[in-house]
């Protein structure tokens, strides 16, 4: 019964919005707002052929690589900075400076330094995705329970063992919160990076459709991006439930009490 209820919640609002869209476009001749049937037709015909291989898959590959690099670098640097007070004090002004720079403005700089290639697009994704992971990791490491930290020190648990059994479990909820934030940022930056001096990818193709007034095709590309975002969200929730199973179980017990 709970599964059916969850499924109902999942599809109820999208179904309602599509119904309202269908009603609103009945008899409409507006060129810029396609009807649901037309959009579904374009979604199938445009994105299941060559464009799936030539545009969608390369975009997804760059997105996955960029996000994974951001998670690895952000977590590693966050643990290092969070556990070393003098390093944190030294780097804090610099981190705040670079965090405030919008990643899209770095695209021209990265184009000059790296060139117009996949490495540049991945670097753009990493430049924006790393910050939520890095900063959440630093705060998570700093928030390790003082009693547990003193206990680990008393029992002479240090080095890799302390990191594995104390720091990472304590900081993992905040690290995962940073990862959740970086997913949406990565998707946005993937599209933006492909709009600059690119010859393939979802962002490039959507802009080409817009410039050639292929409006239904343009909307179908936007729907593809939305579906990718939804898929990423579900995959993250699945992974989070398994990585933080102990954490969610503890919260359920606390709420039950």
């Amino acid at each position: 019964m709970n599964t059916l209820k969850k499924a109902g919640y999942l599809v109820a609002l999208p179904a309602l919005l599509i119904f309202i869209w269908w009603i609103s476009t009945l008899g409409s001749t507006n060129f810029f707002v396609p009807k649901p049937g037309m959009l579904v037709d374009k979604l199938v015909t445009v994105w299941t052929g060559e464009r799936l291989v030539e545009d969608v898959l390369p975009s997804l590959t760059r997105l996955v690589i960029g996000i994974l690099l951001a998670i690895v670098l952000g977590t590693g640097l966050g643990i290092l900075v969070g556990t070393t007070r003098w390093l944190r004090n030294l780097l804090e002004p610099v981190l705040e400076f670079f965090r405030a720079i919008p990643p899209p403005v770095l695209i021209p700089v990265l184009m000059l330094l790296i060139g117009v290639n996949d490495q540049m697009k991945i670097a753009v994704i990493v430049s924006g995705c790393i910050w939520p992971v890095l900063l959440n990791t630093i705060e998570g490491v700093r928030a390790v329970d003082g009693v547990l930290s003193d206990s680990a020190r008393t029992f002479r648990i240090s080095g890799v063992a302390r990191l594995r059994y104390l720091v990472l479990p304590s900081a993992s909820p905040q690290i995962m919160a940073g990862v959740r934030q970086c997913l949406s940022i990565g998707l946005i930056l993937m599209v933006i990076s492909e709009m600059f001096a690119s010859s393939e990818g979802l962002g490039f193709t959507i802009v080409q459709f817009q410039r050639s007034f292929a409006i239904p095709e343009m909307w179908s590309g936007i729907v593809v991006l939305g579906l990718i975002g939804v898929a990423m969200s579900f995959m993250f929730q699945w992974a989070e439930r398994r990585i933080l199973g102990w954490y969610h179980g503890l919260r359920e017990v606390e709420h039950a009490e």
Side-chain angles (χ1 to χ4, degrees):
M1 192 67 178
N2 288 334
T3 303
L4 292 176
K5 186 181 291 186
K6 289 180 180 178
Y9 282 130
L10 188 65
V11 302
L13 183 57
L16 177 62
L17 293 175
I18 292 173
F19 178 74
I20 293 173
W21 175 20
W22 176 69
I23 291 294
S24 302
T25 55
L26 283 177
S28 173
T29 57
N30 191 332
F31 176 71
F32 299 103
V33 182
K35 297 180 179 179
M38 178 187 296
L39 188 58
V40 171
D41 177 66
K42 294 299 181 182
L43 190 65
V44 174
T45 57
V46 173
W47 300 104
T48 57
E50 293 182 357
R51 292 196 183 278
L52 177 64
V53 177
E54 296 176 357
D55 294 311
V56 178
L57 293 182
S59 294
L60 290 177
T61 301
R62 289 188 288 266
L63 177 62
V64 170
I65 293 173
I67 288 176
L68 290 177
L69 282 174
I71 292 172
V72 172
L73 293 174
T75 304
L77 291 173
I79 291 172
L80 180 62
V81 174
T83 55
T84 311
R85 181 174 298 179
W86 68 265
L87 186 60
R88 184 170 66 246
N89 295 334
L90 177 66
L91 293 180
E92 187 171 9
V94 178
L95 293 178
E96 290 297 327
F97 172 80
F98 283 107
R99 183 176 70 91
I101 298 176
V105 305
L106 296 176
I107 294 178
V109 177
L110 294 173
M111 288 172 62
L112 292 173
L113 295 177
I114 302 176
V116 182
N117 49 38
D118 287 348
Q119 289 75 21
M120 181 274 292
K121 297 167 188 173
I122 293 172
V124 171
I125 296 171
V126 173
S127 68
C129 291
I130 193 172
W131 297 110
V133 181
L134 174 61
L135 297 176
N136 275 275
T137 302
I138 292 173
E139 293 305 314
V141 171
R142 291 180 61 187
V144 172
D145 186 88
V147 175
L148 293 177
S149 185
D150 291 339
S151 300
R153 193 178 300 110
T154 300
F155 287 101
R156 297 182 179 179
I157 301 174
S158 60
V160 176
R162 184 179 186 275
L163 178 66
R164 178 180 178 183
Y165 296 109
L166 175 61
V167 175
L168 282 178
S170 297
S172 55
Q174 281 196 254
I175 294 174
M176 294 303 291
V179 173
R180 176 185 283 275
Q181 295 173 34
C182 90
L183 294 179
S184 57
I185 295 173
L187 187 61
I188 294 169
L189 292 176
M190 178 199 77
V191 176
I192 294 175
S193 68
E194 292 172 350
M195 291 180 175
F196 287 83
S198 182
S199 59
E200 48 85 22
L202 274 166
F204 167 79
T205 305
I206 291 172
V207 170
Q208 290 300 107
F209 284 149
Q210 181 263 329
R211 290 173 178 171
S212 59
F213 289 93
I215 304 302
E217 288 83 355
M218 179 194 74
W219 278 109
S220 70
I222 296 172
V223 171
V224 169
L225 289 174
L227 293 175
I228 292 173
V230 171
M232 290 170 60
S233 177
F234 285 144
M235 291 171 64
F236 173 82
Q237 291 177 32
W238 177 85
E240 185 191 36
R241 293 295 299 183
R242 280 148 184 80
I243 294 172
L244 299 181
W246 61 271
Y247 176 73
H248 292 294
L250 183 62
R251 293 189 63 184
E252 289 174 3
V253 170
E254 291 176 348
H255 288 310
E257 294 175 352

